[in-house]
Amino acid sequence: MIHFTRTGQPAMQDTHLLPRRSSGPHQHLAHPPGDHVTFRHQPDNVVFFGRKGKVTQVVTGAALSNPYQHGQPGIQMRVRGVTNHQKTANPNPQFPPMDHNINTLADGNWKDGQKLDFAIAKRGRKARIELSVPGIGEIGWVHPEIATHIQSLIKAYPNQFRFELSNVIAGMTKGAETIGLRANLVYTGSDKKIEQQARKAFREALNDPRCREKVMHYQPETPPDKVLELMLLNEEKVHGKQAADTMRRAIDNINAQIADPKNKKILLVGHCKPDGDTIGCTVGLKHAIELAYPDKTVACGIDDKIPGLFRGKLPGVDDIKRPYNPDRIREIKDEIKQLKTMPEDELARQQLEQLEEELAELKDPSRLLDPKEKYDLVVLMDIPTPKRFTDKFKPYVNQAKAVIYMDHHPFRLNEWQDAEAWTGLNMDRIAKDGLMWVADTAPACAEMVSVLASKFPVLKDLQPGKQLPDSLKQPDQKAHLDKFVANIVTGMSTDTGSFTRTANLTPEDTQKPVEQRPNFLPEGHAKWLMALTGGTIDKKWLRENIVYDIPDKTLSGSFQAAARQIMLQHAVDGRIIKPDLSLGIVQVNYDQMNEVWQAAREADPETTLLDIQNAFKYSEVLGTLRSDPALHGRKKKSGGKSLQDKAQADYEGKYDDDRIAILICQDKEKGALDEKMQIAEDNGLRLSLRSQEGSTHAAVLASLFGGGGHGGAAGGRVDLPGVTLDTKLAVKLNGKTESDPAKILAALENNYAILKDRDASKTPIEVELVKDDQGRTTADLLTAVVGALRAKNAAGNASGKAAA
């Protein structure tokens, strides 16, 4: 039986219909027994044929519906075979590299867009498209699944296509020792017939499920007005014309408030536990305003330490100040007195040392906002929830003439309303004043800030390649421009995984042809911005300065191993894998976190506990647990002998194309320092949840723990007296204990739907965790809810078959 949809109206499609392995050079694609997918291209439509048992689904959609469709045809791709051309810390003696060309490239003055040579070479019975760097040599080849679509074209018209380098990523430390490459293929000719053939081939490659994550949109330099156009089009498409008009007015209102001569003093605020996006927003906007309005005074505030990833590396990061906190100063003095009366041991010594450092920072006027200062305007950016805010900004909020709110996370009005007495923020008033801009599909708040800044004087007239105005030729003004660009592109890069994501996709988005998915061209916009600096800020600068990792230096003192090695060992030891659910969990207790922290501090005294949490979150252990082996290749199942191999040990699961990975770490222990450098009054757990791009699993599960985030990346907390990894918990829904995982899942999905649809008329279900000896540990609770999720999906698939 065959189920059809009307041409041009995409049907909901089961993600498990997507193929995972190629069966040959043709367009019929292999899939697990009983299922298969094929696709073909019609002049104006991409057509998918998906088979589940006896049910065939046909999904069609008009191609290239976005306004950038008429630009230069091109695609971006991952380069295969790079390990054949580079040194690594753990070489494979069976397959030593042929040369070190990629190391030479990475260490040299490489540029985004530099020309690559290509050749179609015979390797045995097969041909492949080999890429090389002029003057250096071969660096890899095009994935065969991509080559299927482009090889005949570039062979027939070699002078009308250009391969160019796009990015050199990772590979700076053992944390990501393999250097990754991405390349662009662009049609450069003028023949309209060949251009149409190129568009057709590129479109087919983008929509070929075998190429998923191997090929991406080519993103030419994209000015901010084009990004804004895409944002408004998406807002109208998803939420209607009125919502798009509201967004446009909000942007104009925010710009008017910043331009208002009465608003001479402005405070820009980012979220606690700062990441690259919130830092990029605050520092980037500061320097944009100071460029455009030299008479204004602009301050940046974040009530937390800046992670080591950015300290001393990101230009202007020292502009960020902490709010004056006399209560905390008194607390630290009391804690220091308390520690000095206790018997000396290593832990007490470490805590005393760190508290004294924190006290010195909190008393240093050069690192603090002036508590007596009054700001005319306060701008909040990238703050998704009151839990990432602080009451220490409340005096500034209360005294301001106006408050602006900008974010790219789903907006939870009820949470802000409940916290108004504590924060001082009246979100209803901010929205009514037209000063709230939420674009929850945008990949980074920093891109929103850049769009806003493009409306400012001076900045609105800048164009790459054109002469800078006289006002920007002064060193101090050029420094403002460089800091603005450096911070904005850092925010976009860190929130998109080095520009691999173009939007926060929903499951519905992933069912559409690639051209119909939201796409805000963050890489293209970053290229446009970096070109303004004349080469001061570029992708090479990003790679060499913004790298997630902790010290990898082996120590000779208290710790005989590098902090990173200790971290990996604890992550490997704390790994739990549920193959039948394709769920991987890593658990780490406070003692293990603290051990890594102290080892890291011996190498870098400014390392924070948040740095350590991020190191666990971005480790290859969690990365392997999350990664779809059909897209990234299956890593060694045995794990090998080295710690690095064990960290990348893979597993075979039932839902390998829909994996979920979760980190549960005890980041608070009563009587010990937490990530805010406070002696914790009680215990606490922090969770980081990850699922495949386009899924909502991570965000849905995070709402069980009072958290949230984007669909595939979210976080949450458990703060209960004495809670540990082994504490048993029960779930209360609207005050009533519920043990059925299916009902718990239904409540979480209900709350997420209300949030996603921006439906303030509906009341979410209150979800609460309580200690209960008859309950489940955090890991077991997550396992049970994920089990309900898998069962629900299986039931949905079965009912779909029955209906067909």
Side-chain angles (χ1 to χ4, degrees), residues 225 238 266 282 318 584 627 669 709 799:
D225 61 336
V238 177
I266 303 174
T282 53
D318 291 338
S627 65
E669 184 170 84
S799 64

Side-chain angles (χ1 to χ4, degrees), residues 27-95:
Q27 292 177 331
H28 179 84
L29 311 179
H31 203 66
D35 302 346
H36 74 267
V37 173
T38 61
F39 79 95
R40 62 184 173 83
H41 178 266
Q42 294 177 345
D44 298 314
N45 295 280
V46 177
V47 184
F48 292 90
F49 295 85
R51 190 165 189 81
K52 259 316 231 194
K54 297 182 179 180
V55 181
T56 298
Q57 290 183 315
V58 181
V59 180
T60 69
L64 290 169
S65 61
N66 279 331
Y68 57 86
Q69 62 176 301
H70 300 298
Q72 192 175 23
I75 52 172
Q76 185 177 127
M77 65 192 75
R78 299 182 192 272
V79 179
R80 187 173 178 180
V82 294
T83 53
N84 292 2
H85 303 285
Q86 64 181 295
K87 301 180 218 177
T88 63
N90 296 287
N92 188 333
Q94 289 184 303
F95 303 102

Side-chain angles (χ1 to χ4, degrees), residues 696-730:
T696 60
H697 303 331
V700 169
L701 293 170
S703 64
L704 178 58
F705 305 96
H710 306 300
R717 292 202 57 81
V718 181
D719 288 305
L720 292 169
V723 69
T724 68
L725 299 172
D726 298 323
T727 300
K728 292 187 176 181
L729 308 171

